[in-house]
Amino acid sequence: MTIELHTWNTPNGRKISVALEEMGLPYKVIPVNITKGEQMAPAFLRLSPNNKIPAIVDPDGPGGKPVSIFESGAILLYLGEKTGKFLPKPLAERIPVYEWLMWQMGGFGPMPGQVHHFIALENETDRAYGLRRYMAETRRLYSVLDRRLEGRDFVADALSVADFAILGWAWRHPRHKVELKDFPNVERWYNALMARPATKRGMEAKLD
C-alpha cells in the first residue's frame, strides 16, 4: 500500500519525506505547486482544508480504510502511531516528543518563516524592521535548541518524529542567515541526522 504525499519542496514537506524514508514506508510524491496556487484547487482542499502542504493519503488507514491527513505535525504523529517507530509507547517518554514537536510547530517554523518572507521584500525599509525582529527571534530559538541538545543526541533522547519536524526547518539555516557553528550542539545533531541514509534519501527526494 503506497502512501500519497501531496507536497512541495519546503521545510514542512521535507519533514514528511524524511519520516517516510526513516520508517521504511512506500510512498509516491504528488507535487502541489504552491507558486502557481495549486494548493487552492478543490481536489487538494478536500485533503487539506487549510490549503497548506503537506497532506497524505494512506490507502491502508485505521481499520484498513483509506484516510487523508493534513498538518505536518498531525501527519508525523499518525505515521509514528501507524508504524510504532520514532514515537515511544511509554507516556513518560512521549512527553518530550510532544513538547519538542509542538515547539517546532509553534515557534521554529513560524518565526524562520517570517525571515523567509521579509528577506524576499525589495523595499529596504520594509525589509529592515521585519528582519531585525524575526532574525533575533529565530536565533533565540536556535539557542533554545542548542541548550536542549547539550549532552543528548536527540531532542527527546531517542530519535523521534520531533527531530524530523525540527530538521525540516534547520535544513534552511542558510536562508535564516544562521551559521550552525554558532550553535555547536545543533550542528552536531544536524550533521548526525543528515548522515543517516534514510534521512538523506528523504532530503533528496524530488518534491517539486
Side-chain angles (χ1 to χ4, degrees):
M1 293 286 199
T2 300
I3 291 173
E4 293 179 1
L5 172 56
H6 298 252
T7 194
W8 196 242
N9 186 26
T10 71
N12 288 333
R14 287 292 165 197
K15 297 177 193 178
I16 310 306
S17 59
V18 167
L20 289 165
E21 290 285 355
E22 286 282 359
M23 293 174 185
L25 290 169
Y27 69 101
K28 65 178 179 180
V29 172
I30 299 178
V32 179
N33 190 335
I34 60 177
T35 69
K36 295 182 178 179
E38 291 179 359
Q39 73 275 22
M40 302 302 296
F44 183 69
L45 284 171
R46 284 194 288 272
L47 303 178
S48 180
N50 195 33
N51 62 271
K52 302 289 186 183
I53 60 95
I56 67 167
V57 177
D58 183 0
D60 185 27
K65 297 179 180 178
V67 65
S68 64
I69 303 149
F70 74 103
E71 285 294 330
S72 59
I75 294 169
L76 288 171
L77 291 174
Y78 168 77
L79 294 174
E81 292 277 3
K82 177 184 174 72
T83 62
K85 297 179 179 178
F86 307 110
L87 188 62
K89 292 192 182 301
L91 180 58
E93 294 176 24
R94 280 195 183 211
I95 289 170
V97 177
Y98 292 156
E99 288 175 328
W100 287 94
L101 177 59
M102 298 308 137
W103 175 83
Q104 185 280 304
M105 299 293 294
F108 195 71
M111 294 303 104
Q114 293 297 321
V115 174
H116 295 183
H117 170 77
F118 282 99
I119 209 167
L121 296 182
E122 293 183 3
N123 184 291
E124 182 57 35
T125 302
D126 291 342
R127 291 175 75 244
Y129 167 73
L131 287 177
R132 279 197 307 272
R133 175 181 173 85
Y134 292 110
M135 279 184 169
E137 177 61 7
T138 293
R139 289 190 67 86
R140 187 190 72 81
L141 291 166
Y142 273 96
S143 294
V144 171
L145 181 60
D146 198 66
R147 289 195 301 272
R148 175 62 182 178
L149 288 167
E150 187 172 356
R152 52 170 51 88
D153 291 334
F154 304 107
V155 293
D157 295 315
L159 181 61
S160 74
V161 294
D163 294 285
F164 304 152
I166 297 166
L167 181 68
W169 282 92
W171 165 61
R172 284 287 178 87
H173 66 273
R175 193 168 176 180
H176 306 160
K177 305 298 183 185
V178 167
E179 295 283 349
L180 290 187
K181 64 180 175 57
D182 295 340
F183 306 95
N185 297 314
V186 176
E187 183 177 43
R188 170 184 49 77
W189 165 87
Y190 181 86
N191 289 337
L193 274 174
M194 295 296 268
R196 293 174 63 87
T199 293
K200 189 172 187 291
R201 290 195 301 271
M203 282 298 183
E204 293 176 352
K206 184 169 176 54
L207 303 187
D208 55 13

Short mmCIF file of all heavy atoms in Angstrom, two decimals, residues 89-146:
data_model
loop_
_atom_site.label_atom_id
_atom_site.label_comp_id
_atom_site.label_asym_id
_atom_site.label_seq_id
_atom_site.Cartn_x
_atom_site.Cartn_y
_atom_site.Cartn_z
N LYS A 89 6.24 4.32 23.21
CA LYS A 89 4.96 3.91 23.78
C LYS A 89 4.75 4.43 25.20
O LYS A 89 3.66 4.90 25.52
CB LYS A 89 4.82 2.38 23.73
CG LYS A 89 4.69 1.84 22.31
CD LYS A 89 4.28 0.39 22.32
CE LYS A 89 4.19 -0.15 20.88
NZ LYS A 89 3.22 0.60 20.07
N PRO A 90 5.75 4.35 26.11
CA PRO A 90 5.52 4.86 27.46
C PRO A 90 5.21 6.37 27.45
O PRO A 90 5.92 7.15 26.79
CB PRO A 90 6.84 4.58 28.18
CG PRO A 90 7.48 3.49 27.37
CD PRO A 90 7.08 3.76 25.96
N LEU A 91 4.19 6.78 28.15
CA LEU A 91 3.79 8.18 28.16
C LEU A 91 4.91 9.08 28.62
O LEU A 91 5.12 10.17 28.07
CB LEU A 91 2.55 8.37 29.04
CG LEU A 91 2.00 9.79 29.14
CD1 LEU A 91 1.65 10.33 27.76
CD2 LEU A 91 0.79 9.84 30.07
N ALA A 92 5.65 8.65 29.64
CA ALA A 92 6.74 9.48 30.15
C ALA A 92 7.77 9.79 29.07
O ALA A 92 8.35 10.88 29.04
CB ALA A 92 7.42 8.79 31.34
N GLU A 93 7.98 8.84 28.16
CA GLU A 93 8.94 9.04 27.08
C GLU A 93 8.33 9.82 25.92
O GLU A 93 9.05 10.44 25.13
CB GLU A 93 9.46 7.69 26.59
CG GLU A 93 10.27 6.94 27.64
CD GLU A 93 10.70 5.57 27.17
OE1 GLU A 93 10.79 5.35 25.94
OE2 GLU A 93 10.94 4.69 28.03
N ARG A 94 7.01 9.80 25.82
CA ARG A 94 6.34 10.56 24.76
C ARG A 94 6.30 12.04 25.08
O ARG A 94 6.26 12.87 24.16
CB ARG A 94 4.90 10.07 24.57
CG ARG A 94 4.77 8.82 23.77
CD ARG A 94 3.33 8.63 23.34
NE ARG A 94 3.19 7.37 22.62
CZ ARG A 94 2.31 7.17 21.65
NH1 ARG A 94 1.49 8.13 21.32
NH2 ARG A 94 2.24 6.01 21.05
N ILE A 95 6.26 12.39 26.35
CA ILE A 95 6.07 13.79 26.71
C ILE A 95 7.11 14.70 26.05
O ILE A 95 6.72 15.70 25.42
CB ILE A 95 6.07 13.96 28.25
CG1 ILE A 95 4.79 13.37 28.83
CG2 ILE A 95 6.20 15.43 28.63
CD1 ILE A 95 4.78 13.26 30.34
N PRO A 96 8.42 14.41 26.11
CA PRO A 96 9.36 15.31 25.42
C PRO A 96 9.19 15.32 23.90
O PRO A 96 9.46 16.33 23.26
CB PRO A 96 10.74 14.80 25.84
CG PRO A 96 10.52 13.40 26.31
CD PRO A 96 9.14 13.37 26.87
N VAL A 97 8.74 14.20 23.32
CA VAL A 97 8.46 14.20 21.88
C VAL A 97 7.35 15.19 21.58
O VAL A 97 7.44 16.02 20.66
CB VAL A 97 8.08 12.80 21.38
CG1 VAL A 97 7.73 12.83 19.89
CG2 VAL A 97 9.22 11.81 21.63
N TYR A 98 6.27 15.13 22.36
CA TYR A 98 5.17 16.08 22.18
C TYR A 98 5.65 17.52 22.38
O TYR A 98 5.30 18.42 21.61
CB TYR A 98 4.04 15.79 23.17
CG TYR A 98 3.29 14.51 22.96
CD1 TYR A 98 2.62 13.89 24.03
CD2 TYR A 98 3.22 13.88 21.72
CE1 TYR A 98 1.91 12.72 23.85
CE2 TYR A 98 2.52 12.71 21.54
CZ TYR A 98 1.87 12.13 22.61
OH TYR A 98 1.17 10.95 22.43
N GLU A 99 6.42 17.73 23.43
CA GLU A 99 6.88 19.09 23.74
C GLU A 99 7.68 19.68 22.59
O GLU A 99 7.43 20.82 22.16
CB GLU A 99 7.74 19.08 25.00
CG GLU A 99 6.97 18.85 26.28
CD GLU A 99 7.88 18.74 27.49
OE1 GLU A 99 9.02 18.24 27.35
OE2 GLU A 99 7.45 19.15 28.58
N TRP A 100 8.65 18.91 22.09
CA TRP A 100 9.54 19.46 21.08
C TRP A 100 8.91 19.48 19.70
O TRP A 100 9.26 20.33 18.87
CB TRP A 100 10.89 18.73 21.11
CG TRP A 100 11.62 19.17 22.33
CD1 TRP A 100 11.62 18.56 23.57
CD2 TRP A 100 12.34 20.38 22.49
NE1 TRP A 100 12.32 19.31 24.46
CE2 TRP A 100 12.78 20.44 23.84
CE3 TRP A 100 12.68 21.43 21.64
CZ2 TRP A 100 13.55 21.50 24.34
CZ3 TRP A 100 13.44 22.49 22.13
CH2 TRP A 100 13.87 22.51 23.46
N LEU A 101 7.96 18.61 19.45
CA LEU A 101 7.19 18.72 18.21
C LEU A 101 6.35 20.00 18.23
O LEU A 101 6.30 20.75 17.25
CB LEU A 101 6.29 17.48 18.03
CG LEU A 101 5.38 17.50 16.80
CD1 LEU A 101 6.17 17.62 15.51
CD2 LEU A 101 4.51 16.23 16.78
N MET A 102 5.68 20.27 19.37
CA MET A 102 4.87 21.48 19.47
C MET A 102 5.74 22.73 19.46
O MET A 102 5.34 23.78 18.94
CB MET A 102 4.00 21.44 20.73
CG MET A 102 3.00 20.30 20.75
SD MET A 102 1.98 20.19 19.24
CE MET A 102 2.02 18.42 18.95
N TRP A 103 6.95 22.63 20.05
CA TRP A 103 7.90 23.75 19.99
C TRP A 103 8.22 24.09 18.54
O TRP A 103 8.24 25.27 18.16
CB TRP A 103 9.18 23.36 20.75
CG TRP A 103 10.28 24.36 20.68
CD1 TRP A 103 10.44 25.48 21.47
CD2 TRP A 103 11.41 24.36 19.79
NE1 TRP A 103 11.57 26.15 21.12
CE2 TRP A 103 12.19 25.50 20.09
CE3 TRP A 103 11.82 23.51 18.76
CZ2 TRP A 103 13.36 25.79 19.40
CZ3 TRP A 103 12.98 23.79 18.07
CH2 TRP A 103 13.74 24.92 18.40
N GLN A 104 8.45 23.08 17.74
CA GLN A 104 8.72 23.34 16.33
C GLN A 104 7.49 23.94 15.65
O GLN A 104 7.61 24.96 14.95
CB GLN A 104 9.13 22.04 15.62
CG GLN A 104 9.55 22.24 14.17
CD GLN A 104 8.38 22.35 13.22
OE1 GLN A 104 7.53 21.47 13.16
NE2 GLN A 104 8.30 23.43 12.48
N MET A 105 6.34 23.35 15.86
CA MET A 105 5.14 23.81 15.16
C MET A 105 4.77 25.24 15.54
O MET A 105 4.32 26.03 14.71
CB MET A 105 3.96 22.88 15.48
CG MET A 105 4.15 21.43 15.06
SD MET A 105 4.22 21.20 13.28
CE MET A 105 2.54 21.64 12.83
N GLY A 106 4.97 25.58 16.83
CA GLY A 106 4.55 26.90 17.29
C GLY A 106 5.59 27.99 17.17
O GLY A 106 5.26 29.17 17.17
N GLY A 107 6.88 27.60 17.04
CA GLY A 107 7.94 28.60 17.01
C GLY A 107 8.95 28.41 15.91
O GLY A 107 9.12 29.26 15.05
N PHE A 108 9.64 27.25 15.93
CA PHE A 108 10.72 27.02 14.98
C PHE A 108 10.15 26.54 13.65
O PHE A 108 10.26 25.39 13.26
CB PHE A 108 11.70 25.99 15.55
CG PHE A 108 13.02 25.94 14.84
CD1 PHE A 108 13.92 26.98 14.96
CD2 PHE A 108 13.37 24.85 14.07
CE1 PHE A 108 15.14 26.93 14.31
CE2 PHE A 108 14.60 24.79 13.41
CZ PHE A 108 15.49 25.83 13.53
N GLY A 109 9.50 27.44 13.02
CA GLY A 109 8.77 27.25 11.77
C GLY A 109 8.13 28.58 11.44
O GLY A 109 8.53 29.26 10.50
N PRO A 110 7.15 29.00 12.26
CA PRO A 110 6.55 30.32 12.03
C PRO A 110 7.56 31.47 12.08
O PRO A 110 7.48 32.40 11.27
CB PRO A 110 5.53 30.42 13.17
CG PRO A 110 5.15 29.01 13.45
CD PRO A 110 6.41 28.21 13.27
N MET A 111 8.51 31.44 13.01
CA MET A 111 9.46 32.56 13.12
C MET A 111 10.47 32.57 11.97
O MET A 111 10.64 33.59 11.30
CB MET A 111 10.16 32.53 14.48
CG MET A 111 9.23 32.79 15.66
SD MET A 111 8.33 34.37 15.57
CE MET A 111 6.69 33.80 15.07
N PRO A 112 11.16 31.45 11.69
CA PRO A 112 12.01 31.45 10.49
C PRO A 112 11.22 31.72 9.21
O PRO A 112 11.74 32.32 8.27
CB PRO A 112 12.62 30.04 10.48
CG PRO A 112 12.55 29.58 11.89
CD PRO A 112 11.31 30.20 12.45
N GLY A 113 9.96 31.29 9.20
CA GLY A 113 9.12 31.56 8.04
C GLY A 113 8.94 33.05 7.79
O GLY A 113 8.86 33.52 6.64
N GLN A 114 8.90 33.84 8.87
CA GLN A 114 8.82 35.29 8.72
C GLN A 114 10.12 35.85 8.14
O GLN A 114 10.11 36.81 7.36
CB GLN A 114 8.51 35.94 10.07
CG GLN A 114 7.13 35.64 10.60
CD GLN A 114 6.03 36.18 9.70
OE1 GLN A 114 6.14 37.26 9.14
NE2 GLN A 114 4.98 35.39 9.54
N VAL A 115 11.25 35.25 8.53
CA VAL A 115 12.52 35.65 7.91
C VAL A 115 12.46 35.40 6.41
O VAL A 115 12.84 36.27 5.60
CB VAL A 115 13.71 34.88 8.53
CG1 VAL A 115 15.01 35.19 7.79
CG2 VAL A 115 13.85 35.22 10.01
N HIS A 116 11.96 34.23 6.01
CA HIS A 116 11.81 33.92 4.58
C HIS A 116 10.99 35.01 3.88
O HIS A 116 11.29 35.41 2.76
CB HIS A 116 11.11 32.57 4.38
CG HIS A 116 11.88 31.40 4.88
ND1 HIS A 116 11.42 30.10 4.73
CD2 HIS A 116 13.07 31.30 5.53
CE1 HIS A 116 12.29 29.27 5.27
NE2 HIS A 116 13.29 29.97 5.76
N HIS A 117 9.92 35.45 4.56
CA HIS A 117 9.02 36.45 3.96
C HIS A 117 9.74 37.79 3.80
O HIS A 117 9.76 38.36 2.70
CB HIS A 117 7.77 36.62 4.83
CG HIS A 117 6.92 37.78 4.42
ND1 HIS A 117 6.08 37.74 3.32
CD2 HIS A 117 6.78 39.03 4.95
CE1 HIS A 117 5.46 38.89 3.19
NE2 HIS A 117 5.86 39.70 4.17
N PHE A 118 10.32 38.31 4.88
CA PHE A 118 10.88 39.66 4.83
C PHE A 118 12.15 39.74 4.01
O PHE A 118 12.43 40.77 3.40
CB PHE A 118 11.12 40.18 6.25
CG PHE A 118 9.86 40.65 6.92
CD1 PHE A 118 9.19 39.83 7.82
CD2 PHE A 118 9.31 41.89 6.62
CE1 PHE A 118 8.01 40.26 8.43
CE2 PHE A 118 8.13 42.32 7.22
CZ PHE A 118 7.48 41.51 8.13
N ILE A 119 12.91 38.66 3.96
CA ILE A 119 14.17 38.70 3.21
C ILE A 119 13.90 38.82 1.71
O ILE A 119 14.75 39.27 0.95
CB ILE A 119 15.02 37.46 3.54
CG1 ILE A 119 16.50 37.79 3.40
CG2 ILE A 119 14.64 36.25 2.69
CD1 ILE A 119 17.42 36.76 4.01
N ALA A 120 12.69 38.42 1.30
CA ALA A 120 12.35 38.47 -0.12
C ALA A 120 11.78 39.82 -0.55
O ALA A 120 11.60 40.07 -1.75
CB ALA A 120 11.32 37.38 -0.44
N LEU A 121 11.50 40.72 0.40
CA LEU A 121 10.94 42.02 0.05
C LEU A 121 11.99 42.90 -0.62
O LEU A 121 13.16 42.89 -0.24
CB LEU A 121 10.39 42.73 1.29
CG LEU A 121 9.22 42.06 2.01
CD1 LEU A 121 8.78 42.91 3.19
CD2 LEU A 121 8.05 41.82 1.07
N GLU A 122 11.57 43.70 -1.57
CA GLU A 122 12.50 44.56 -2.29
C GLU A 122 12.72 45.89 -1.57
O GLU A 122 13.80 46.46 -1.61
CB GLU A 122 12.00 44.82 -3.72
CG GLU A 122 12.00 43.56 -4.59
CD GLU A 122 11.56 43.84 -6.01
OE1 GLU A 122 11.32 45.02 -6.33
OE2 GLU A 122 11.47 42.88 -6.80
N ASN A 123 11.67 46.41 -0.90
CA ASN A 123 11.78 47.69 -0.22
C ASN A 123 12.62 47.53 1.05
O ASN A 123 12.24 46.81 1.96
CB ASN A 123 10.38 48.21 0.13
CG ASN A 123 10.43 49.59 0.76
OD1 ASN A 123 10.90 49.75 1.88
ND2 ASN A 123 9.92 50.59 0.04
N GLU A 124 13.76 48.24 1.10
CA GLU A 124 14.70 48.06 2.19
C GLU A 124 14.10 48.46 3.53
O GLU A 124 14.37 47.81 4.56
CB GLU A 124 15.98 48.87 1.93
CG GLU A 124 17.06 48.71 2.98
CD GLU A 124 17.49 47.27 3.18
OE1 GLU A 124 17.52 46.50 2.19
OE2 GLU A 124 17.78 46.90 4.34
N THR A 125 13.27 49.49 3.55
CA THR A 125 12.65 49.91 4.80
C THR A 125 11.72 48.82 5.33
O THR A 125 11.71 48.50 6.53
CB THR A 125 11.86 51.21 4.61
OG1 THR A 125 12.75 52.22 4.12
CG2 THR A 125 11.24 51.68 5.92
N ASP A 126 10.94 48.25 4.44
CA ASP A 126 10.04 47.16 4.83
C ASP A 126 10.83 45.95 5.32
O ASP A 126 10.45 45.28 6.29
CB ASP A 126 9.15 46.74 3.66
CG ASP A 126 8.13 47.82 3.29
OD1 ASP A 126 7.88 48.71 4.12
OD2 ASP A 126 7.60 47.76 2.17
N ARG A 127 11.92 45.67 4.65
CA ARG A 127 12.72 44.51 4.99
C ARG A 127 13.38 44.67 6.36
O ARG A 127 13.44 43.72 7.15
CB ARG A 127 13.82 44.27 3.94
CG ARG A 127 13.32 43.83 2.59
CD ARG A 127 14.46 43.73 1.60
NE ARG A 127 15.27 42.55 1.83
CZ ARG A 127 16.56 42.58 2.17
NH1 ARG A 127 17.18 43.72 2.34
NH2 ARG A 127 17.22 41.46 2.34
N ALA A 128 13.90 45.86 6.63
CA ALA A 128 14.78 46.05 7.78
C ALA A 128 14.10 45.74 9.10
O ALA A 128 14.64 45.00 9.93
CB ALA A 128 15.32 47.49 7.79
N TYR A 129 12.91 46.27 9.31
CA TYR A 129 12.23 46.04 10.59
C TYR A 129 11.91 44.57 10.77
O TYR A 129 12.19 43.98 11.82
CB TYR A 129 10.94 46.86 10.68
CG TYR A 129 10.07 46.42 11.83
CD1 TYR A 129 10.42 46.74 13.14
CD2 TYR A 129 8.92 45.66 11.61
CE1 TYR A 129 9.65 46.31 14.21
CE2 TYR A 129 8.14 45.23 12.67
CZ TYR A 129 8.50 45.57 13.96
OH TYR A 129 7.74 45.13 15.02
N GLY A 130 11.31 43.96 9.76
CA GLY A 130 10.91 42.56 9.87
C GLY A 130 12.11 41.65 10.11
O GLY A 130 12.05 40.73 10.93
N LEU A 131 13.21 41.93 9.41
CA LEU A 131 14.38 41.07 9.56
C LEU A 131 15.01 41.23 10.93
O LEU A 131 15.44 40.24 11.53
CB LEU A 131 15.40 41.37 8.46
CG LEU A 131 15.00 40.86 7.06
CD1 LEU A 131 16.03 41.27 6.03
CD2 LEU A 131 14.82 39.34 7.06
N ARG A 132 15.08 42.45 11.44
CA ARG A 132 15.62 42.63 12.80
C ARG A 132 14.81 41.84 13.81
O ARG A 132 15.34 41.15 14.67
CB ARG A 132 15.61 44.12 13.19
CG ARG A 132 16.75 44.93 12.66
CD ARG A 132 16.90 46.25 13.40
NE ARG A 132 15.66 47.02 13.45
CZ ARG A 132 15.28 47.89 12.52
NH1 ARG A 132 16.05 48.07 11.45
NH2 ARG A 132 14.15 48.56 12.63
N ARG A 133 13.49 41.96 13.70
CA ARG A 133 12.59 41.30 14.67
C ARG A 133 12.67 39.78 14.58
O ARG A 133 12.89 39.10 15.57
CB ARG A 133 11.16 41.77 14.44
CG ARG A 133 10.13 41.07 15.31
CD ARG A 133 8.73 41.60 15.00
NE ARG A 133 7.70 40.84 15.69
CZ ARG A 133 7.31 41.07 16.94
NH1 ARG A 133 7.89 42.04 17.64
NH2 ARG A 133 6.36 40.34 17.48
N TYR A 134 12.51 39.25 13.37
CA TYR A 134 12.36 37.81 13.24
C TYR A 134 13.70 37.07 13.18
O TYR A 134 13.76 35.90 13.57
CB TYR A 134 11.47 37.48 12.04
CG TYR A 134 10.05 37.91 12.30
CD1 TYR A 134 9.48 38.98 11.62
CD2 TYR A 134 9.29 37.26 13.26
CE1 TYR A 134 8.18 39.38 11.89
CE2 TYR A 134 7.98 37.65 13.54
CZ TYR A 134 7.44 38.71 12.85
OH TYR A 134 6.15 39.11 13.13
N MET A 135 14.75 37.73 12.73
CA MET A 135 16.06 37.08 12.81
C MET A 135 16.50 36.94 14.26
O MET A 135 17.08 35.92 14.64
CB MET A 135 17.10 37.87 12.01
CG MET A 135 17.07 37.60 10.52
SD MET A 135 18.40 38.48 9.66
CE MET A 135 18.30 37.69 8.04
N ALA A 136 16.21 37.95 15.09
CA ALA A 136 16.56 37.85 16.50
C ALA A 136 15.80 36.71 17.17
O ALA A 136 16.38 35.94 17.96
CB ALA A 136 16.26 39.18 17.20
N GLU A 137 14.52 36.59 16.87
CA GLU A 137 13.73 35.51 17.47
C GLU A 137 14.16 34.15 16.94
O GLU A 137 14.20 33.16 17.69
CB GLU A 137 12.24 35.74 17.20
CG GLU A 137 11.31 34.65 17.72
CD GLU A 137 11.34 34.44 19.24
OE1 GLU A 137 12.00 35.24 19.95
OE2 GLU A 137 10.71 33.49 19.71
N THR A 138 14.51 34.09 15.68
CA THR A 138 14.98 32.83 15.10
C THR A 138 16.28 32.39 15.77
O THR A 138 16.45 31.22 16.13
CB THR A 138 15.17 32.97 13.58
OG1 THR A 138 13.87 33.18 12.98
CG2 THR A 138 15.80 31.73 12.97
N ARG A 139 17.19 33.32 15.99
CA ARG A 139 18.44 32.97 16.67
C ARG A 139 18.18 32.54 18.11
O ARG A 139 18.84 31.65 18.64
CB ARG A 139 19.43 34.14 16.63
CG ARG A 139 20.01 34.40 15.25
CD ARG A 139 21.15 35.41 15.30
NE ARG A 139 22.30 34.86 16.01
CZ ARG A 139 23.25 34.11 15.44
NH1 ARG A 139 23.16 33.80 14.14
NH2 ARG A 139 24.27 33.67 16.14
N ARG A 140 17.21 33.18 18.75
CA ARG A 140 16.87 32.76 20.11
C ARG A 140 16.40 31.31 20.12
O ARG A 140 16.77 30.52 20.99
CB ARG A 140 15.78 33.66 20.68
CG ARG A 140 15.49 33.39 22.17
CD ARG A 140 14.24 34.12 22.64
NE ARG A 140 13.03 33.51 22.09
CZ ARG A 140 12.44 32.41 22.60
NH1 ARG A 140 12.98 31.79 23.65
NH2 ARG A 140 11.34 31.94 22.05
N LEU A 141 15.60 30.94 19.12
CA LEU A 141 15.09 29.57 19.05
C LEU A 141 16.22 28.57 18.78
O LEU A 141 16.22 27.47 19.32
CB LEU A 141 14.00 29.47 17.98
CG LEU A 141 12.70 30.20 18.34
CD1 LEU A 141 11.82 30.35 17.11
CD2 LEU A 141 11.94 29.46 19.44
N TYR A 142 17.17 28.95 17.93
CA TYR A 142 18.34 28.09 17.74
C TYR A 142 19.09 27.92 19.07
O TYR A 142 19.60 26.83 19.36
CB TYR A 142 19.29 28.68 16.69
CG TYR A 142 18.97 28.30 15.27
CD1 TYR A 142 18.22 29.13 14.44
CD2 TYR A 142 19.45 27.11 14.72
CE1 TYR A 142 17.93 28.80 13.12
CE2 TYR A 142 19.19 26.76 13.40
CZ TYR A 142 18.42 27.61 12.61
OH TYR A 142 18.15 27.27 11.31
N SER A 143 19.14 28.97 19.88
CA SER A 143 19.81 28.88 21.18
C SER A 143 19.06 27.93 22.11
O SER A 143 19.68 27.15 22.85
CB SER A 143 19.91 30.26 21.83
OG SER A 143 20.75 31.10 21.09
N VAL A 144 17.73 27.99 22.08
CA VAL A 144 16.92 27.08 22.89
C VAL A 144 17.22 25.64 22.49
O VAL A 144 17.43 24.75 23.34
CB VAL A 144 15.42 27.39 22.72
CG1 VAL A 144 14.56 26.30 23.37
CG2 VAL A 144 15.08 28.75 23.31
N LEU A 145 17.26 25.39 21.19
CA LEU A 145 17.54 24.04 20.69
C LEU A 145 18.95 23.61 21.07
O LEU A 145 19.18 22.45 21.46
CB LEU A 145 17.35 24.01 19.17
CG LEU A 145 17.59 22.68 18.47
CD1 LEU A 145 16.65 21.60 18.99
CD2 LEU A 145 17.41 22.84 16.95
N ASP A 146 19.90 24.53 20.99
CA ASP A 146 21.28 24.21 21.33
C ASP A 146 21.40 23.80 22.80
O ASP A 146 22.09 22.82 23.12
CB ASP A 146 22.17 25.41 21.04
CG ASP A 146 23.64 25.04 20.95
OD1 ASP A 146 24.00 24.31 20.02
OD2 ASP A 146 24.42 25.45 21.83
#
